Amino acid sequence: MRSSLRIQRLFSFICLLCAVLAISSCGGNSATQSTPATGQGGQRGQNSQRGGRGGGSSGIGVRSTGIQRISIQRQIELSGNLASIDQVKVSAEVAGTVIFANIDLGKEVQAGEVLVKLDDRELQLARDRAESALKQTEAQLGLDPAKPSVIPPDEQIATVRTAIANRDDAKVKFTQSQALVAQGLVPRTDLDTNETRLKVTEAVLQSTLESVRSLKASLQDRRAALQLAQKKIDDATVKSPVNGVVSERLVQRGEFIRENTQITTIVQLNPLQLRTAVQEKFSSLIRPNLPVQFAVEPYPGQMFTGRIINISPSIDQQTRTFPVEVQVENASRKLKPGFFAKGIILTERDNNVMALPEEAVSTLAGVSSVFVIDNGVIRQQSVTLGSHEGKYFEILDGLMGNETVAISNLNQLVTGTKVVAADGVTEALKDTGEAPGTGRGGSK
């Protein structure tokens, strides 16, 4: 009996404890639920205070700006390849064995520097023969060794003078014979003999003159032959025609090469040319000396400059472009022929251009628009954008230039949204039919 009584008392105590805990739990939840209610009321009160001038409606703070006037640098995009102005394929004009080669790949050479030497011993012998033949001809013409360039007249050459003297003697004797035959002092045969002798001397004189003239002609030929032989000796030493860098080595020392064999290629590295093509619609804007800025892949972030030097006068009918050449200074040798370049041509700078900051423009599906604040009400206006200069977009069409536009919270604005200014910030109020406050509509 005592044991059953104790169990009943313990059970009653547990039930009482559970009831107390349940009551306490219900009271706590009621207190907790009242707090958010108070918080929401406080938030509404704050929102009501923020709406102040609009009379108690909730709103979103929106900043605004007026149309800006900026200066824009007009430019045309370009792309092309860098090339050497002078890229020379150097050849040997004579045949011979290479005995010296100074054409290591990448070696920088100066104009006139020796690149290759050929064995010229046979050429020297040929020159000596030509010189000997020339001296023989000069001796036959009786030229003064001290003045070999002075060629005397035909009548002053020894052989011609001898022929003239013989002819004159024969003429005198013929004349004398005529007089003696007329007087009957000598037989007729003497006259015939002297006449024949006169004809022979005249023929000899004519032959001598022709021989002298032939020698004079061969004199020029043998002088030219000597000069050609000397030129071949000079050509056995191949020199660089331009300043540049060796880009190809095509012969080795000890190799026999024939005439007109290419031995190396020299490319000029400073200046270089940027060769590109410009669309025909820009033909009226392109002129010589316009500045160009471009970049190349090996030097990301670094800009190089140049200027337009050559413009093609014709348009390619397939691509509708015209070739343009840009001169690029390359004293640092960073740029190399063949680099692909991408950049711009700076044409002209326009002042007083209508523009808006980037944050004022909303673009959706390729259509750009702005939110104009007109008498405290938002009006969404489509615009046509032009160039992008810094953080500004050029406005080509859609605005007059005296509007005020929103520049924040654009994703929450629609046409018809009312705006007021509070504490220097333009606030947007959803159109609920209530009159907006006395906002400024936007600050510049």
Side-chain angles (χ1 to χ4, degrees):
M1 289 294 292
R2 292 181 179 178
S3 181
S4 298
L5 183 59
R6 288 178 181 176
I7 292 174
Q8 289 179 359
R9 289 178 179 177
L10 179 59
F11 180 75
S12 300
F13 177 76
I14 292 173
C15 290
L16 179 60
L17 180 60
C18 290
V20 171
L21 291 176
I23 294 172
S24 299
S25 177
C26 291
N29 288 339
S30 299
T32 303
Q33 290 175 358
S34 64
T35 301
T38 304
Q40 290 177 358
Q43 182 66 35
R44 291 192 187 98
Q46 291 176 7
N47 290 340
S48 177
Q49 290 175 2
R50 289 184 59 190
R53 301 180 187 180
S57 298
S58 62
I60 304 171
V62 176
R63 294 180 294 113
S64 61
T65 184
I67 305 300
Q68 307 294 316
R69 296 289 176 172
I70 65 172
S71 176
I72 290 184
Q73 174 65 61
R74 301 299 182 186
Q75 58 193 36
I76 300 171
E77 293 185 356
L78 65 82
S79 61
N81 295 310
L82 291 172
S84 175
I85 296 177
D86 285 330
Q87 182 167 330
V88 184
K89 295 182 178 180
V90 184
S91 301
E93 296 187 30
V94 295
T97 302
V98 178
I99 59 175
F100 172 79
N102 182 34
I103 49 176
D104 294 330
L105 192 65
K107 177 179 174 58
E108 188 163 351
V109 296
Q110 303 297 319
E113 184 175 346
V114 175
L115 301 177
V116 169
K117 284 185 179 180
L118 304 178
D119 187 355
D120 62 354
R121 286 177 294 178
E122 291 186 11
L123 301 177
Q124 290 284 1
L125 292 174
R127 181 193 179 283
D128 293 342
R129 290 180 60 184
E131 186 177 14
S132 176
L134 174 62
K135 288 182 178 180
Q136 182 181 359
T137 303
E138 290 177 345
Q140 290 174 342
L141 291 173
L143 301 185
D144 185 356
K147 299 179 180 179
S149 61
V150 178
I151 301 177
D154 295 347
E155 294 77 9
Q156 294 182 10
I157 296 175
T159 55
V160 176
R161 291 202 307 268
T162 300
I164 292 175
N166 291 335
R167 184 206 60 181
D168 292 344
D169 180 64
K171 186 181 291 187
V172 169
K173 289 183 178 181
F174 174 71
T175 303
Q176 291 175 351
S177 296
Q178 285 181 323
L180 292 175
V181 169
Q183 295 174 7
L185 298 177
V186 294
R188 178 78 183 179
T189 56
D190 289 348
L191 177 61
D192 294 340
T193 300
N194 289 327
E195 184 180 7
T196 301
R197 182 171 178 269
L198 175 60
K199 291 180 179 180
V200 170
T201 56
E202 287 179 343
V204 170
L205 175 59
Q206 184 64 33
S207 176
T208 303
L209 287 172
E210 291 175 355
S211 176
V212 167
R213 290 165 185 163
S214 176
L215 283 174
K216 285 183 177 181
S218 72
L219 176 66
Q220 301 300 325
D221 178 69
R222 292 183 178 181
R223 282 179 174 174
L226 178 60
Q227 292 176 355
L228 180 60
Q230 183 61 52
K231 179 182 181 297
K232 288 186 176 182
I233 293 175
D234 296 337
D235 290 341
T237 301
V238 184
K239 299 179 180 180
S240 175
V242 296
N243 297 335
V245 177
V246 176
S247 65
E248 278 187 299
R249 176 179 180 139
L250 302 176
V251 298
Q252 302 293 332
R253 184 177 178 181
E255 181 180 354
F256 178 82
I257 61 175
R258 299 190 178 277
E259 294 181 2
N260 300 320
T261 298
Q262 184 180 346
I263 61 173
T264 186
T265 300
I266 306 295
V267 296
Q268 182 177 329
L269 293 184
N270 185 35
L272 294 178
Q273 271 189 1
L274 171 55
R275 295 172 182 172
T276 183
V278 178
Q279 297 179 21
E280 68 172 321
K281 65 181 179 179
F282 299 122
S283 60
S284 62
L285 303 177
I286 301 300
R287 61 183 183 275
N289 294 318
L290 282 180
V292 173
Q293 297 178 352
F294 65 92
V296 294
E297 187 174 356
Y299 301 99
Q302 183 174 352
M303 295 298 295
F304 298 89
T305 60
R307 61 182 181 86
I308 294 178
I309 55 171
N310 298 319
I311 304 171
S312 174
S314 61
I315 303 294
D316 188 315
Q317 295 184 1
Q318 294 183 349
T319 63
R320 309 312 305 174
T321 61
F322 58 96
V324 171
E325 293 179 343
V326 179
Q327 182 167 309
V328 180
E329 294 300 323
N330 188 32
S332 65
R333 301 297 195 272
K334 287 185 175 181
L335 301 175
K336 298 183 183 298
F339 274 4
F340 177 75
K342 190 173 183 180
I344 55 175
I345 302 172
L346 305 178
T347 56
E348 58 185 359
R349 179 170 288 276
D350 281 349
N351 298 316
N352 200 30
V353 175
M354 189 164 60
L356 282 174
E358 297 170 337
E359 57 265 31
V361 180
S362 174
T363 301
L364 180 62
V367 178
S368 299
S369 62
V370 297
F371 294 92
V372 178
I373 302 174
D374 189 4
N375 294 325
V377 178
I378 290 294
R379 172 172 55 85
Q380 188 171 1
Q381 175 66 47
S382 297
V383 294
T384 302
L385 302 182
S387 299
H388 189 200
E389 183 80 5
K391 295 184 178 181
Y392 287 87
F393 280 115
E394 177 187 11
I395 305 300
L396 297 179
D397 190 26
L399 297 177
M400 298 296 294
N402 57 354
E403 293 89 348
T404 300
V405 300
I407 60 173
S408 67
N409 294 327
L410 303 188
N411 59 342
Q412 301 183 33
L413 299 180
V414 293
T415 298
T417 299
K418 295 182 179 180
V419 294
V420 293
D423 298 330
V425 177
T426 301
E427 291 191 353
L429 300 179
K430 201 165 185 178
D431 190 5
T432 59
E434 298 180 2
T438 57
R440 292 174 296 176
S443 60
K444 192 172 182 178

